[in-house]
Amino acid sequence: MDPTTGALGYGIEYGYSVMERLRLAALQGDSMTQLPMIVTPGFEAWKTKEAKVGEGVPAAWGDWLSRAINWEIMTAVSLLESGADILVLRHPESVKQVKAAINELMVVPERF
Amino acid sequence: MALSGIQIYKLLPQTNCKECGFPTCLAFAMKLAAKQVELSDCPYVSEESKTQLAESAAPPIRLISLKSNGYEVKVGNEVVLFRHEKTFYNKPGVFIKFSDDIPAEEIKARVEKADSFVVNYVGIDLTIDGFAMECLSGDADKFAAAVKAVRAASKRPLILLSQDPAAIESGLQSLDGEAPMIYGANADNWEKMAELAKSHKAVLGVTTTFLEEATDLTEQIKGKGVEDIVLGLSSKNLSTNLIQQTQIRKLALKKNYKPLGYPTITFPTSAAEAAQAITKYAGFLVLDSFTEDFVYPLLVLRQNIYTDPQKPIQVQPGIYEINNPKPEDPVLVTTNFSITYFSVANEVEGSGMPAWLLVTDAEGMSVLTAWAAGKFDAERIAKAVKSFDVADKVSRKRIVLPGAVAVLSGELEAELPDWEIRVGPREAVDIPKFMKLVLA
Ligand code: SF4
């Protein structure tokens, strides 16, 4: 199922909490919510002005490309933390870093 | 465990003297149970009751405050595991770390740059919270000089990083009288670090690898009379960090487990680690470098996750410039519900055409809801036009109403007689087309 989430800065917190609630409900046995969740942080993040626009924006926004990629990664990882199962990304660098994050998250530590 | 209103009532004088501002002790007890008042508002509680209440009333996660020169970073005091259960209250502090192996002049220059960083997001000015100075030189004097360099370039709160008590001591001395955070206490140095924290009223960070060690350490440190503690777990990966942060939060909230009832500090080195730290419970984030392109999205994420899910997020009412509008460009009107604002602003932005966006105070409601509630009408729009001096900004007085409230156009004409009133599309997605066809 697609909980339809906004990008970072554009209502991500709604989707974030909807997903946490869906996952909690699923774990408590609500079969309606026991489906993997697919999210599209790549599409959402690259729709934002922060990712799309490189000129005429405040200097405090920093380097355009890195900002855009960070926007996508932080959107994606936040959704990952709230229960996303499939993430559709856009930039190769984001794919690389989000994949690495997923691999790290899947390791079960022996001691913590 | 937290006491109920009735349990608290039994510990109060039960004289109903009203000095606390409530008609009865019971009313006051109820407020106290809901954590809406302070026990100190009642002047007559017995010492014995005070101790009993203090113990039960102490927040499960201690509130830690770092202050300096009028700046304050408050973290901890959280009450839920998931933000939808209530809200996350105290935003984690974002600190930038430098080390004493670079020349003082360069430290100053870099600190100044990060210190002056400010970015506006939906009417809120976002900045970093403070700086951390790490002792890498191994030289106490050098460290003190580096700490001084930071303090000369910024007035924000500081964290001193070293596991060598001698270095920490000289860093503290160079800050005359300030109470920063010192980090970190470990199994070997904790006694000395606790003494330093006590004598300088500093917040003490503990640094360990596993939760059990952290538990032992905080108990020992508390035994020395230091209570302002922050937990640092040197996690090697996202998985361990997630487990540790979740366990700390869970044990503190669900079991009122005091040895871990403190905020945490993390040292993220990537966008993924930083995003996890914000969403999953970090109290402090110490970044090892400062770049705008990283800090900007991070501060926005913090802002988003820490908004109260029960309250609609609002945008500051005002007149927003999109695509550098000139006096001849049109004025579009919308409400200050953030999602409404974002969708409209994003579409106008995407159209590539310049416009003024007038955001009215509709108490955070969307266009239709606000209209139905009487919070978005001709009178309010006209008032916004006046209070934000919109007429002085434009030469051609054209104002575009959202299509959903087309009915307002007659009344608005009456309110703003010298303005040309246009009715825009119902949906934000149709704005670019409308702008190109009708406004160009
Ligand atoms: S001040 Fe104290 S004693 Fe007086 S009414 Fe309030 S709670 Fe009761």
Side-chain angles (χ1 to χ4, degrees):
Chain A
M1 57 188 166
D2 180 355
T4 60
T5 57
L8 170 59
Y10 295 81
I12 191 175
E13 64 275 26
Y14 290 94
Y16 180 88
S17 285
V18 165
M19 289 168 67
E20 283 195 331
R21 299 179 86 144
L22 285 170
R23 180 52 47 91
L24 288 169
L27 294 174
Q28 276 155 20
D30 175 358
S31 59
M32 290 289 289
T33 55
Q34 289 168 340
L35 296 164
M37 291 188 273
I38 182 169
V39 291
T40 53
F43 175 72
E44 295 297 335
W46 285 90
K47 221 168 62 173
T48 66
K49 180 178 178 184
E50 285 78 359
K52 245 177 15 190
V53 185
E55 276 165 35
V57 298
W61 284 21
D63 178 73
W64 181 15
L65 182 62
S66 335
R67 173 179 78 237
I69 292 171
N70 285 330
W71 214 270
E72 183 179 6
I73 296 173
M74 290 192 200
T75 303
V77 172
S78 303
L79 299 180
L80 187 61
E81 295 289 347
S82 64
D85 298 284
I86 304 171
L87 296 114
V88 186
L89 297 168
R90 182 162 286 183
H91 197 281
E93 181 59 28
S94 315
V95 173
K96 196 176 111 196
Q97 291 197 36
V98 174
K99 256 193 171 166
I102 293 170
N103 288 335
E104 262 188 55
L105 277 170
M106 297 309 290
V107 176
V108 181
E110 278 169 30
R111 196 180 158 200
F112 52 81
Chain B
M1 279 309 284
L3 298 179
S4 71
I6 301 292
Q7 285 168 314
I8 295 174
Y9 172 69
K10 289 183 182 147
L11 296 167
L12 291 176
Q14 303 176 18
T15 54
N16 302 337
C17 77
K18 303 187 175 57
E19 265 181 59
C20 54
F22 292 92
T24 61
C25 293
L26 183 61
F28 181 71
M30 291 299 178
K31 290 281 166 186
L32 205 58
K35 297 196 169 69
Q36 289 163 351
V37 292
E38 297 289 331
L39 180 61
S40 55
D41 292 349
C42 169
Y44 306 111
V45 225
S46 70
E47 284 308 313
E48 197 196 316
S49 298
K50 256 188 209 165
T51 349
Q52 273 194 47
L53 283 165
E55 256 162 41
S56 69
I61 299 169
R62 191 174 172 85
L63 180 73
I64 297 290
S65 143
L66 276 187
K67 285 189 198 142
S68 72
N69 314 291
Y71 288 98
E72 183 178 18
V73 183
K74 273 200 305 193
V75 308
N77 224 354
E78 298 298 337
V79 296
V80 291
L81 267 166
F82 299 101
R83 57 188 291 283
H84 65 256
E85 295 172 310
K86 186 144 180 70
T87 185
F88 290 173
Y89 287 101
N90 292 306
K91 296 186 192 78
V94 172
F95 283 65
I96 312 292
K97 184 180 84 180
F98 297 97
S99 54
D100 66 349
D101 56 352
I102 54 174
E105 281 316 305
E106 201 176 325
I107 294 175
K108 275 189 196 165
R110 290 201 211 170
V111 169
E112 269 163 18
K113 183 175 175 228
D115 187 70
S116 63
F117 171 79
V118 50
V119 63
N120 192 280
Y121 167 70
V122 297
I124 306 161
D125 280 337
L126 304 176
T127 64
I128 59 147
D129 296 294
F131 294 92
M133 175 46 74
E134 183 173 30
C135 180
L136 288 184
S137 67
D139 177 338
D141 293 337
K142 224 174 169 181
F143 184 57
V147 172
K148 270 202 164 131
V150 179
R151 182 40 88 225
S154 168
K155 295 190 177 332
R156 295 178 197 273
L158 300 180
I159 302 176
L160 309 186
L161 299 171
S162 173
Q163 294 184 26
D164 172 10
I168 292 290
E169 183 165 18
S170 90
L172 282 168
Q173 275 158 3
S174 74
L175 280 175
D176 43 20
E178 265 190 58
M181 184 198 300
I182 57 176
Y183 183 95
N186 58 33
D188 301 321
N189 71 9
W190 67 270
E191 281 192 270
K192 279 194 177 136
M193 293 292 264
E195 272 163 34
L196 286 171
K198 210 173 168 189
S199 56
H200 288 84
K201 298 197 169 56
V203 172
L204 181 56
V206 300
T207 168
T208 65
T209 311
F210 302 112
L211 287 179
E212 260 179 67
E213 302 167 334
T215 300
D216 296 343
L217 259 180
T218 58
E219 287 291 83
Q220 285 169 316
I221 289 167
K222 206 178 158 197
K224 289 271 170 195
V226 175
E227 294 199 81
D228 286 333
I229 300 174
V230 166
L231 305 169
L233 279 304
S234 50
S235 309
K236 277 160 219 71
N237 55 57
L238 289 168
S239 165
T240 312
N241 185 59
L242 180 61
I243 293 173
Q244 288 175 335
Q245 298 286 330
T246 309
Q247 286 302 324
I248 291 171
R249 172 71 57 105
K250 238 179 160 167
L251 286 165
L253 293 184
K254 307 286 179 208
K255 307 264 182 235
N256 206 18
Y257 186 63
K258 292 295 175 194
L260 294 178
Y262 303 98
T264 61
I265 181 169
T266 59
F267 297 80
T269 56
S270 67
E273 287 176 9
Q276 184 187 61
I278 295 283
T279 53
K280 294 294 168 182
Y281 316 135
F284 292 90
L285 280 81
V286 180
L287 309 178
D288 57 7
S289 65
F290 170 82
T291 56
E292 292 91 347
D293 56 71
F294 188 89
V295 172
Y296 175 31
L298 187 66
L299 293 177
V300 171
L301 179 61
R302 180 179 75 169
Q303 200 65 31
N304 290 167
I305 295 296
Y306 278 74
T307 51
D308 185 344
Q310 253 101 143
K311 278 190 214 142
I313 354 154
Q314 306 187 7
V315 184
Q316 203 66 28
I319 180 93
Y320 289 75
E321 301 181 9
I322 301 186
N323 298 333
N324 303 312
K326 296 194 182 50
E328 62 271 22
D329 292 317
V331 178
L332 276 64
V333 189
T334 193
T335 70
N336 69 329
F337 175 46
S338 70
I339 300 294
T340 302
Y341 165 82
F342 287 138
S343 16
V344 173
N346 229 359
E347 293 299 341
V348 177
E349 180 81 52
S351 77
M353 293 175 59
W356 303 89
L357 185 55
L358 177 63
V359 177
T360 64
D361 183 0
E363 294 172 23
M365 289 183 234
S366 66
V367 169
L368 266 177
T369 322
W371 173 72
K375 307 291 179 197
F376 187 57
D377 53 23
E379 202 180 313
R380 281 186 179 239
I381 296 170
K383 212 175 116 199
V385 168
K386 287 190 189 95
S387 59
F388 302 119
D389 302 320
V390 184
D392 299 340
K393 295 188 166 34
V394 295
S395 54
R396 197 173 155 195
K397 294 180 175 169
R398 274 188 302 172
I399 194 160
V400 182
L401 272 176
V405 291
V407 288
L408 293 179
S409 60
E411 285 165 44
L412 195 58
E413 259 163 32
E415 292 276 351
L416 300 171
D418 48 348
W419 285 74
E420 180 188 340
I421 316 286
R422 309 296 293 255
V423 174
R426 291 188 70 91
E427 299 293 334
V429 282
D430 300 320
I431 290 176
K433 206 169 70 197
F434 172 81
M435 291 184 72
K436 278 178 193 123
L437 292 175
V438 185
L439 297 179

